[in-house]
């Protein structure tokens, strides 16, 4: 097979297929939601671990569905950039990729039963909806990834959704404050999706996608990404000013070099394509560092006032 490149060990290939640079999009919101819950209840750490594992399984499965269906539709080739590449570059059988994704869904569902039994069975509906969106992102007759709504669905479910569910399973409720704090998480997870689509504008256009980045055009899409970063930081500052968060939340400002780096790299990426890797990494790290630092700020404030 011409598409197969150099040999790679099964362990490294499996790790590559998880798209590890994207997994912080799960870690960060789950931790943030749990830290918010610390203010209202005693944390059930077993539930926290269960939530983390289930969400990671769902995200990895979604990545595998993405790999499978982009290959089946002919969007991914050996020359494509930024993909897992297990099928087109390393000869994995498409059926096996799909099977692993389905098994991960089953695994997540089993853990979900424990989470529901320990909190609320209403989460069954939420979980099934999330799993459906994960599959339909690249599967089904009209994949979400081929529309301008990819950022919205990714951000709402993996950003705000993961924060609020993590909070809910600990407290049994969702408060206005927990929702307000989840908004930057939604924006920044959506930003990861936007950065992917900015990088892939040329290939996605050839593949028939109508992503938001394609509809806006490259320059406007980069500006939209910059605005998303700006709004996320401004949102936290506003919550501090109105008294919903303590000044400790300003620790998120330590992550500012990453979004600045991302925007600079995207703007210079046309002339220097190698900068795209920097832009992608910086965007993902913005989400990670922002949520982790916000969690640390909330954690410090809690113990100062306990």
């Amino acid at each position: 097979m011409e598409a197969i490149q150099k040999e790679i060990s099964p362990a490294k290939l499996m790790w590559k297929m998880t798209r590890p640079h994207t997994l912080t999009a799960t870690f960060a919101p789950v931790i943030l939601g749990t830290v918010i819950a610390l203010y209202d209840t005693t944390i059930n750490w077993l539930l926290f671990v269960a939530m983390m594992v289930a969400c990671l399984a769902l995200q990895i499965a979604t990545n595998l569905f993405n790999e499978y269906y982009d290959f089946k539709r002919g969007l991914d080739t050996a020359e494509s950039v930024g993909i897992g590449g297990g099928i087109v570059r390393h000869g994995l059988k498409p059926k096996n990729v799909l099977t692993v994704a389905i098994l991960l869904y089953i695994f997540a569902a089993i853990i979900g039963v424990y989470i529901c039994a320990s909190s609320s069975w209403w989460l069954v509906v939420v979980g099934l909806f999330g799993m459906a969106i994960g599959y339909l992102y690249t599967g089904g007759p009209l994949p979400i990834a081929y529309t301008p709504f990819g950022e919205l669905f990714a951000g709402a479910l993996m950003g705000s959704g993961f924060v609020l569910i993590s909070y809910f399973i600990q407290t049994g409720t969702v408060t206005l404050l927990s929702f307000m704090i989840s908004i930057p998480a939604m924006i920044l997870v959506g930003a990861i999706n936007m950065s992917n689509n900015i990088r892939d504008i040329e290939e996605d256009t050839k593949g028939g996608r109508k992503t938001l980045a394609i509809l806006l055009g490259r320059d406007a899409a980069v500006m939209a990404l910059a605005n998303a970063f700006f709004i996320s930081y401004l949102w936290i500052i506003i919550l501090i000013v109105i008294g919903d968060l303590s000044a400790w939340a300003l620790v998120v400002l330590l992550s500012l070099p990453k979004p600045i780096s991302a925007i600079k790299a995207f703007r210079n990426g046309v002339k220097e394509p190698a900068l795209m890797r920097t832009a992608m990494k910086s965007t993902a790290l913005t989400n990670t560092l922002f949520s982790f630092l916000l969690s640390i700020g909330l954690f410090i404030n809690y113990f100062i006032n306990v």
Side-chain angles (χ1 to χ4, degrees):
M1 181 182 293
E2 294 181 359
I4 300 177
Q5 295 185 352
K6 63 181 181 180
E7 291 293 327
I8 183 171
S9 72
K12 286 185 178 181
L13 180 54
M14 184 55 65
W15 175 245
K16 181 181 177 69
M17 290 287 286
T18 68
R19 301 187 185 184
H21 66 283
T22 70
L23 297 184
T24 55
T26 289
F27 277 105
V30 172
I31 291 173
L32 179 58
T34 305
V35 171
I36 300 170
L38 187 64
Y39 283 78
D40 301 312
T41 190
T42 300
I43 300 301
N44 182 324
W45 295 107
L46 188 57
L47 266 179
F48 165 74
V49 172
M51 178 68 181
M52 183 71 77
V53 173
C55 289
L56 283 172
L58 290 176
Q59 185 186 354
I60 294 171
T62 299
N63 288 342
L64 294 179
F65 283 132
N66 189 6
E67 182 101 11
Y68 174 80
Y69 283 106
D70 280 352
F71 170 77
K72 294 294 286 186
R73 290 185 168 91
L75 189 63
D76 285 348
T77 67
E79 290 72 37
S80 297
V81 297
I83 61 170
I87 296 175
V88 298
R89 293 175 182 162
H90 304 294
L92 279 181
K93 294 181 178 179
K95 182 179 179 180
N96 292 343
V97 173
L98 181 62
T99 298
V100 173
I102 293 172
L103 289 175
L104 283 170
Y105 258 31
I106 294 172
F107 176 63
I110 293 171
I111 299 176
V113 171
Y114 164 73
I115 294 174
C116 291
S118 302
S119 54
S120 170
W121 289 104
W122 282 107
L123 288 179
V124 171
V125 177
V126 177
L128 289 175
F129 178 75
M131 293 173 76
I133 295 301
Y135 173 79
L136 293 172
Y137 188 77
T138 47
L142 182 60
I144 296 169
Y146 285 54
T147 74
F149 305 111
E151 287 81 2
L152 175 63
F153 278 96
L157 292 175
M158 295 180 60
S160 186
F162 281 4
V163 171
L164 295 178
I165 295 172
S166 299
Y167 178 83
F168 176 83
I169 64 175
Q170 300 290 342
T171 65
T173 189
V174 171
T175 62
L176 177 60
L177 180 58
S178 65
F179 174 75
M180 295 294 283
I181 296 175
S182 77
I183 297 300
M186 176 181 72
I187 294 172
L188 292 177
V189 170
I192 295 176
N193 190 280
M194 173 65 89
S195 68
N196 288 336
N197 290 336
I198 292 172
R199 177 200 61 196
D200 295 338
I201 283 178
E202 184 176 343
E203 291 182 6
D204 285 349
T205 301
K206 293 177 181 177
R209 291 190 179 191
K210 298 294 182 182
T211 64
L212 183 58
I214 290 174
L215 295 182
L216 291 176
R218 191 181 190 284
D219 290 343
V222 173
M223 180 58 69
L225 182 63
N227 287 333
F229 290 143
F230 175 76
I231 291 170
S232 298
Y233 287 92
L234 179 63
W235 193 274
I236 295 301
I237 293 172
I238 291 174
L239 291 181
I240 293 171
V241 170
I242 65 178
D244 284 345
L245 292 179
S246 78
W248 281 105
L250 286 174
V251 72
V252 299
L253 297 179
L254 293 175
S255 63
L256 267 174
K258 291 304 175 183
I260 293 173
S261 171
I263 298 304
K264 285 183 177 179
F266 270 124
R267 286 177 174 168
N268 295 320
V270 174
K271 296 180 180 179
E272 300 180 58
L275 288 176
M276 285 297 182
R277 184 179 297 275
T278 298
M280 299 293 299
K281 182 178 180 180
S282 294
T283 302
L285 283 173
T286 298
N287 169 67
T288 303
L289 294 176
F290 185 102
S291 293
F292 280 167
L293 288 170
L294 180 56
S295 297
I296 290 171
L298 293 173
F299 191 77
I300 292 173
N301 181 66
Y302 170 79
F303 276 100
I304 286 177
N305 294 283
V306 70

